[in-house]
């Protein structure tokens, strides 16, 4: 699961339309708006980093959006997608023997 905090700036006269477009996007939730400045705080949930980036690009392409940038990112591994046996099977370097607790001395 990927959660992104995104600052969106829209042209103030079109802010309501932009908020409606954002609310219609899957995985996107509008959390705060500031009509005088056109600033909108959005939280986006995506399955993968690729989906997260695609969602940000989609927001940037909405009409009347001046800018949209990711301000925060949270990535949590889903234990169902990454069970311990699968993580252990990943091709990554093992802990060297000289770093194991049995070999450490004061």
């Amino acid at each position: 699961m990927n959660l992104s905090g995104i600052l969106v700036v829209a042209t103030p006269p079109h802010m309501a339309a932009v908020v409606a477009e954002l609310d219609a996007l899957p995985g996107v939730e509008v959390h705060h708006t500031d009509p005088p400045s056109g600033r909108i705080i959005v939280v986006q949930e995506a399955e993968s980093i690729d989906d997260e980036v695609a969602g940000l690009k989609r927001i940037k392409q909405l009409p009347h959006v001046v800018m949209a940038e990711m301000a925060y990112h949270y990535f949590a591994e889903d234990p169902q997608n990454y069970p311990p046996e699968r993580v252990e099977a990943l091709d990554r370097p093992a802990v060297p023997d000289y770093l194991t607790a049995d070999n450490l001395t004061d």
Side-chain angles (χ1 to χ4, degrees), residues 53-76:
V53 172
L56 179 61
K57 288 180 180 177
R58 192 172 47 234
I59 291 170
K60 288 181 174 186
Q61 294 173 348
L62 291 175
H64 310 294
V65 168
V66 176
M67 57 89 56
E69 293 299 334
M70 192 177 302
Y72 177 78
H73 169 79
Y74 174 76
F75 175 77

Side-chain angles (χ1 to χ4, degrees), residues 28-57:
V28 174
E29 190 172 318
V30 173
H31 277 271
H32 181 74
T33 61
D34 183 42
S37 68
R39 292 181 182 164
I40 305 165
I41 303 295
V42 170
V43 173
Q44 174 185 248
E45 182 176 341
E47 289 295 319
S48 68
I49 293 173
D50 290 339
D51 292 343
E52 185 177 40
V53 172
L56 179 61
K57 288 180 180 177

